[in-house]
Amino acid sequence: PNIRVWAGQTASQDADSAHWEHTVADAQKICAQAAKEGLRISVEYHAHSLTDTIDSALRLLDLVGADNFYSY
């Protein structure tokens, strides 16, 4: 099973390091909880989020680093 989530509400070009750190930490917590139940977490593409460009989405996937974290 897969749960789709948004990657914040700030465009990647406007996101400062604190926003990145907060979003990554939240994603890591969510992924850890989901992994206990055998679930995957996927971030959806949305304008004005950290997945609004390919480079930003790949950066987020890399920083979160969870085996159950995907792009949708």
Side-chain angles (χ1 to χ4, degrees):
N2 183 55
I3 299 171
R4 296 183 294 170
V5 299
W6 284 35
Q9 297 178 338
T10 301
S12 60
Q13 69 181 8
D14 298 330
D16 61 14
S17 60
H19 181 74
W20 274 94
E21 290 170 13
H22 179 79
T23 303
V24 168
D26 280 352
Q28 289 170 332
K29 284 188 239 178
I30 292 167
C31 287
Q33 289 294 328
K36 293 176 186 178
E37 302 298 327
L39 300 171
R40 295 184 306 176
I41 301 296
S42 296
V43 284
E44 296 186 15
Y45 163 81
H46 287 283
H48 309 293
S49 75
L50 296 184
T51 57
D52 60 3
T53 69
I54 292 172
D55 289 339
S56 181
L58 291 173
R59 177 181 175 198
L60 182 62
L61 291 170
D62 184 56
L63 290 172
V64 172
D67 291 338
N68 63 332
F69 191 58
Y70 297 88
S71 177
Y72 184 83

